[in-house]
Amino acid sequence: MDMTPDPAPPAQPLPEPRRLGPLARLAPEPMKVVLNWGRRYSLWVFNFGLACCAIEFIAASMSRHDFIRLGVIPFAPGPRQADLMIVSGTVTDKMAPAVKRLYEQMPEPKYVISFGACSNCGGPYWDSYSVTKGVDQIIPVDVYVPGCPPRPEALLQGILKLQEKIARESTGERYAPAKPSVQALTSGLVTPPAPAPGSGSGSGDTK
Amino acid sequence: MTETTIGIGGAAEGTDMVLNIGPQHPSTHGVLRLRLVLDGERIRSAEPIVGYMHRGAEKLFEARDYRQIVMLANRHDWLSAFSNELGVVLAVERMLGMEVPERAVWTRTLLAELNRVLNHLMFLGSYPLELGGITPIFYAFTEREELQQVMEEVSGGRMHYMFNRVGGLKEDLPNGWTGRARATVAAVRSRMGRIDDLVLGNEIFRGRTRGVGVLSQQDVHGFGVSGPIARASGVDFDLRRDEPYLAYGELADTMRVVTRTEGDCLARFEVLLEQTHVALDLADACLDRLTDLPPGPINQRLPKVLKAPEGHTYAWTENPLGLNGYYLVSKGEKTPYRLKLRSASFNNIQALTVLLPGTLVADMVAILGSMFFVVGDVDK
């Protein structure tokens, strides 16, 4: 009887957040349309208000512009209950880890609107030593709203664009295995496999 | 991010909890982080951790010429953009020894006061929101939208006006604008009662703020606190009266410095509310004066390359949130050698280290909200 203890169990793979069940491909098309329709008009928004743009975000949620009529609900108690994150304002290098962490806490499917020049690309702080040049360096962004700060109407337009995108979306494509990145095209040469011991090549010592 | 340490000097079974508030937190003022040490519900020590919004504006000033600086300068305190531009151009004008046309002086005063109303309305709305009353912010933003429309007609911007130029303003006021501005000021004043009665007269609001977070005069001076917060503690100091710049010297009969002596959250709110009324009165007085002024230039022709002569100067202004200072050192280049910002909010929030200890966690939001700060102004 083998009394040796079992080797340490292999590390359990962490739950994969970006995963579809095997039966997803069997879902009828009308069902997918209905699901997309539901998603696009019930976007619980988590406002990552950082700077000036946050004031325009608040203005967009107030009575004159009122984005609740588009189905955007600004009462998410936290990122865990939100579908949409709006990054409004300058992301600094000190703040960036918090942005990424809160994004990762959001449940799938999740969307991001980058609101304002600073979070798009650094904006007027493009040459600052402490500003992240675009929030898309740390999290994926669905819609960019340009402006410094953008008007509330621009945010409404951005929300409409996002809703169009959600309507067109297919979860199969969204959660498809990642394609090789563009960076692979410009990466360095692949290192050749190490020569097997004993198979001297070109040394000329044939036996 | 929380940790517990065994209490020192507390009850035997007590543990101190170190609690992190922020950097992202539900009160509306962005990303200030507070590190609190708690003993049960009571705060034993508090430390504001700043820097999450540091954008390096002061360093960027050194790489921008004097026209471009204005654009960065109005973004650090995004609620009082016009007043921020003003400080920079005042400093540069003083260095150049430049005389500003009278029309520009009065228009600047008018727009600065309208900007003050805009700034105060934001806090008059957001402070009750933090205490759980949702309605006032909708009223405040209705007024803000009206005023922003007036400002936008002049400058083309809703928040960042970029209307100041060295030597004056960008362009003259549009035709018929003064009439529309006057109507808007009157409309806003007529509806200010909604905030007066709804918020200030509210029993719950008074209960949450009266006697909470009392800031002593000594601490005001110790931390360099300024603006409405200092005046709520009985420090009777306002640059508009005590060292008049722009046209404030001639507005002495309209200008009232609002002070309170209690120094608590309610006093700070009352000062802000009454200052809004004063600012509206000042705007009216400026409009009266503007209509009487003869037509004339509103800016000066500038050379193609604007260079400040070698030297240094310090200009300070009474911004909506307190004293803003601009220390400008020039070596005769077209960019400043150094432009140091003294921003009001940075000093104001330092007072939290003495204000918060001894209070309850539930009162923290009331105190934090009543300090009326803008995080960009803290971190620059």
Side-chain angles (χ1 to χ4, degrees):
Chain A
M1 197 174 171
D2 188 13
M3 293 298 286
T4 52
D6 286 337
Q12 201 74 28
L14 289 170
E16 172 67 50
R18 302 178 145 255
R19 189 180 53 188
L20 276 184
L23 292 178
R25 63 191 168 80
L26 298 178
E29 195 58 35
M31 183 57 76
K32 291 179 182 169
V33 172
V34 168
L35 282 177
N36 277 352
W37 175 80
R39 269 185 208 122
R40 68 191 278 209
Y41 291 124
S42 160
L43 288 165
W44 285 70
V45 64
F46 169 61
N47 174 29
F48 213 102
L50 293 164
C52 338
C53 296
I55 307 293
E56 288 296 65
F57 175 89
I58 299 171
S61 68
M62 289 295 150
S63 42
R64 178 159 300 191
H65 301 285
D66 186 22
F67 58 43
I68 302 184
R69 65 201 156 115
L70 303 178
V72 177
I73 305 158
F75 303 122
R80 286 170 209 272
Q81 287 84 16
D83 309 302
L84 166 64
M85 176 154 118
I86 296 188
V87 183
S88 46
T90 321
V91 183
T92 57
D93 288 348
K94 191 170 179 181
M95 198 65 204
V99 177
K100 187 163 175 60
R101 187 170 168 185
L102 293 183
Y103 173 76
E104 282 164 357
Q105 287 179 358
M106 286 167 64
E108 290 280 351
K110 52 192 172 185
Y111 308 94
V112 176
I113 291 181
S114 163
F115 185 62
C118 284
S119 61
N120 290 344
C121 62
Y125 299 94
W126 60 276
D127 54 348
S128 167
Y129 54 84
S130 58
V131 171
T132 308
K133 312 299 181 296
V135 74
D136 52 2
Q137 293 186 2
I138 46 173
I139 57 173
V141 174
D142 292 285
V143 175
Y144 298 87
V145 181
C148 188
R151 300 175 61 85
E153 291 93 330
L155 179 59
L156 301 183
Q157 173 73 6
I159 290 166
L160 290 178
K161 285 279 171 216
L162 179 68
Q163 290 177 338
E164 283 169 22
K165 187 177 175 180
I166 297 173
R168 284 197 308 270
E169 183 177 76
S170 129
T171 38
E173 282 166 25
R174 185 180 172 92
Y175 300 116
K179 291 185 194 133
S181 75
V182 185
Q183 281 172 340
L185 288 175
T186 55
S187 60
L189 291 176
V190 178
T191 46
S199 67
S201 60
S203 55
D205 56 338
T206 49
K207 285 181 183 171
Chain B
M1 291 287 274
T2 57
E3 61 180 57
T4 51
T5 51
I6 300 300
I8 301 156
E13 72 275 14
T15 58
D16 288 350
M17 185 161 77
V18 180
L19 180 67
N20 251 317
I21 311 284
Q24 172 71 16
H25 56 86
S27 75
T28 13
H29 303 303
V31 289
L32 178 78
R33 182 175 157 203
L34 283 176
R35 200 168 150 280
L36 307 177
V37 180
L38 303 181
D39 179 11
E41 277 282 294
R42 238 166 241 289
I43 298 172
R44 292 174 56 127
S45 73
E47 182 193 1
I49 300 173
V50 303
Y52 282 92
M53 206 56 244
H54 178 68
R55 307 193 273 196
E58 284 182 18
K59 196 70 194 165
L60 294 183
F61 288 154
E62 294 166 21
R64 305 278 199 273
D65 72 27
Y66 288 108
R67 294 186 177 91
Q68 296 168 324
I69 280 177
V70 177
M71 177 268 174
L72 280 180
N74 68 14
R75 275 168 175 73
H76 71 89
D77 174 1
W78 44 79
L79 288 176
S80 33
F82 191 87
S83 320
N84 293 337
E85 298 170 5
L86 202 57
V88 173
V89 295
L90 284 178
V92 179
E93 279 159 12
R94 193 179 299 169
M95 289 284 271
L96 290 166
M98 194 179 261
E99 197 71 31
V100 181
E102 198 186 5
R103 225 179 136 67
V105 171
W106 280 97
T107 315
R108 277 181 179 177
T109 319
L110 166 64
L111 294 178
E113 286 309 314
L114 288 179
N115 195 201
R116 191 181 307 273
V117 178
L118 275 172
N119 174 300
H120 287 0
L121 277 172
M122 176 75 209
F123 288 105
L124 292 177
S126 73
Y127 187 45
L129 181 72
E130 279 161 32
L131 294 179
I134 296 180
T135 318
I137 195 163
F138 287 96
Y139 290 151
F141 263 83
T142 313
E143 314 305 333
R144 268 177 65 88
E145 289 285 343
E146 298 239 326
L147 282 168
Q148 273 180 333
Q149 203 172 359
V150 167
M151 295 294 273
E152 192 187 347
E153 194 186 339
V154 168
S155 65
R158 280 167 53 89
M159 286 176 68
H160 300 310
Y161 307 109
M162 267 309 286
F163 200 52
N164 273 300
R165 294 289 186 272
V166 176
L169 292 168
K170 180 174 160 237
E171 53 203 11
D172 212 332
L173 300 171
N175 272 342
W177 180 82
T178 41
R180 286 190 285 280
R182 202 184 290 274
T184 307
V185 168
V188 171
R189 185 186 290 118
S190 74
R191 286 189 297 252
M192 279 303 287
R194 295 204 288 206
I195 293 174
D196 287 338
D197 303 336
L198 186 73
V199 182
L200 203 59
N202 187 306
E203 198 179 333
I204 302 169
F205 181 81
R206 296 185 83 91
R208 287 286 309 268
T209 53
R210 179 50 88 200
V212 172
V214 179
L215 183 66
S216 69
Q217 245 189 58
Q218 199 183 357
D219 289 331
V220 166
H221 293 307
F223 286 99
V225 175
S226 56
I229 303 167
R231 288 194 280 275
S233 297
V235 178
D236 189 7
F237 179 69
D238 191 323
L239 271 187
R240 291 175 291 169
R241 181 198 60 196
D242 299 326
E243 198 188 301
Y245 57 103
L246 292 183
Y248 288 115
E250 297 175 48
L251 288 168
D253 48 342
T254 321
M255 176 73 211
R256 276 185 297 126
V257 179
V258 185
T259 53
R260 292 285 183 280
T261 48
E262 291 90 347
D264 56 4
C265 294
L266 186 64
R268 290 193 273 276
F269 187 81
E270 280 174 356
V271 168
L272 207 68
L273 184 56
E274 207 173 324
Q275 264 190 209
T276 315
H277 287 282
V278 174
L280 286 170
D281 292 345
L282 283 171
D284 259 345
C286 291
L287 279 167
D288 288 342
R289 187 60 189 262
L290 263 177
T291 42
D292 296 342
L293 280 184
I298 199 150
N299 50 20
Q300 298 215 349
R301 273 190 75 83
L302 294 178
K304 215 162 205 165
V305 179
L306 186 65
K307 286 182 179 173
E310 205 169 324
H312 58 96
T313 188
Y314 184 72
W316 55 348
T317 55
E318 183 72 36
N319 259 38
L321 299 178
L323 292 178
N324 262 33
Y326 302 85
Y327 183 58
L328 173 63
V329 181
S330 170
K331 299 254 169 175
E333 303 287 320
K334 61 179 183 179
T335 60
Y337 178 73
R338 176 91 166 90
L339 180 56
K340 164 83 177 73
L341 272 176
R342 184 258 188 238
S343 53
S345 305
F346 180 73
N347 288 58
N348 290 359
I349 64 149
Q350 302 306 322
L352 287 173
T353 46
V354 294
L355 210 50
L356 285 178
T359 57
L360 296 172
V361 176
D363 287 336
M364 184 209 63
V365 176
I367 296 169
L368 205 58
S370 76
M371 294 308 283
F372 310 129
F373 61 89
V374 170
V375 180
D377 205 28
V378 175
D379 292 340
K380 290 174 270 196

